[in-house]
Amino acid sequence: MRELNSVEEKILDRTLYLIGKTGTISVPVRAIAKEADVNVASINYYFRSKEELINKTKEFYIENVESTIEPLEDDTLTDMEKLKAFSERVMDYCIRFPGITILSKEARIAKNPDSLFKEIVRVTENMNQLLDQVLARAFKLSPEDIEVPHTILIASIVHPLERIVAEDKTDHYLLDQDRRSGYIDVVIKMIGDLPKHLNAMR
């Protein structure tokens, strides 16, 4: 993706925000212009068409997802530190772009996915695989036991913030970085207690 100027990045930022807020990629250009505090002519100038804007938004999304993966691949971190850093990045991302699952869902259900939708599926699957590997090592989990802790972690760090932002809450404790960090510690500790319960599920 070419380097963006500040206006372009703001437009893409707000487009992703509105996709999450509305739950669809069919966001009107006028709504994007209003949210980005620019006029429609500026959007047409920088992106030429709605299709190009959506394609650049997909690329912007891919770059952001890849940035959340970085801690999982950082060999200077312990596995527990990887889980904490990954969770913090995902939660920060969810605040900035509520509904980050929307583009992933659209990519998966597309009947004739374009190359960017295919790349969204690829980076999402790569993230899930890396997360599974870290969870397995951190908590000594077998492959058949990984789905439950994976689901609990993702649900715990994505869905609360989607709801908070969708409901326009501004004073929720998860919006505070320090309290959010403490919340992540609790979630990871709960996952650490799962193996004994997973045995009972077999």
Side-chain angles (χ1 to χ4, degrees):
M1 187 173 177
R2 64 178 172 78
E3 191 166 336
L4 303 167
N5 65 40
S6 59
V7 177
E8 290 173 297
E9 189 161 320
K10 184 178 181 181
I11 291 169
L12 292 179
D13 181 299
R14 294 296 85 192
T15 302
L16 256 181
Y17 172 84
L18 287 174
I19 287 172
K21 187 82 170 176
T22 62
T24 176
I25 61 173
S26 300
V27 180
V29 171
R30 289 189 180 279
I32 296 168
K34 182 178 179 181
E35 182 67 32
D37 196 25
V38 299
N39 56 41
V40 173
S42 293
I43 293 179
N44 292 334
Y45 172 77
Y46 287 114
F47 299 100
R48 293 179 294 185
S49 69
K50 175 74 175 293
E51 181 180 7
E52 181 179 338
L53 172 59
I54 294 300
N55 284 339
K56 292 298 180 186
T57 302
K58 291 175 186 176
E59 293 178 15
F60 194 57
Y61 169 88
I62 290 165
E63 288 183 356
N64 279 282
V65 171
E66 288 177 333
S67 78
T68 69
I69 294 173
E70 289 172 3
L72 298 176
E73 299 179 303
D74 187 347
D75 291 334
T76 68
L77 302 176
T78 67
D79 286 327
M80 297 300 283
E81 289 170 339
K82 289 178 181 182
L83 291 174
K84 178 75 180 281
F86 167 77
S87 299
E88 287 177 339
R89 287 201 185 189
V90 171
M91 292 191 83
D92 287 343
Y93 189 30
C94 287
I95 291 171
R96 188 176 175 191
F97 307 119
I100 62 170
T101 55
I102 301 302
L103 275 177
S104 179
K105 181 194 76 175
E106 294 283 348
R108 290 183 181 282
I109 67 174
K111 292 182 179 178
N112 297 297
D114 60 22
S115 61
L116 289 170
F117 266 163
K118 290 177 181 177
E119 182 64 7
I120 286 172
V121 171
R122 187 195 69 77
V123 298
T124 302
E125 290 179 346
N126 183 44
M127 179 192 72
N128 288 328
Q129 289 170 3
L130 288 168
L131 179 57
D132 284 351
Q133 291 168 11
V134 176
L135 283 168
R137 290 195 305 267
F139 301 112
K140 297 179 174 57
L141 297 167
S142 61
E144 60 266 23
D145 287 337
I146 209 72
E147 184 175 352
V148 173
H150 181 120
T151 301
I152 289 173
L153 179 62
I154 293 299
S156 297
I157 63 179
V158 173
H159 297 301
L161 287 168
E162 286 188 339
R163 189 190 75 251
I164 290 164
V165 178
E167 295 174 0
D168 290 322
K169 294 182 178 179
T170 58
D171 59 350
H172 196 280
Y173 77 92
L174 285 179
L175 298 177
D176 177 83
Q177 187 172 4
D178 290 337
R179 298 180 76 185
R180 192 162 64 248
S181 179
Y183 168 83
I184 291 169
D185 288 337
V186 170
V187 171
I188 292 175
K189 184 178 185 303
M190 289 173 57
I191 291 173
D193 292 335
L194 278 176
K196 59 187 176 184
H197 300 295
L198 292 172
N199 290 332
M201 292 174 58
R202 291 197 181 97

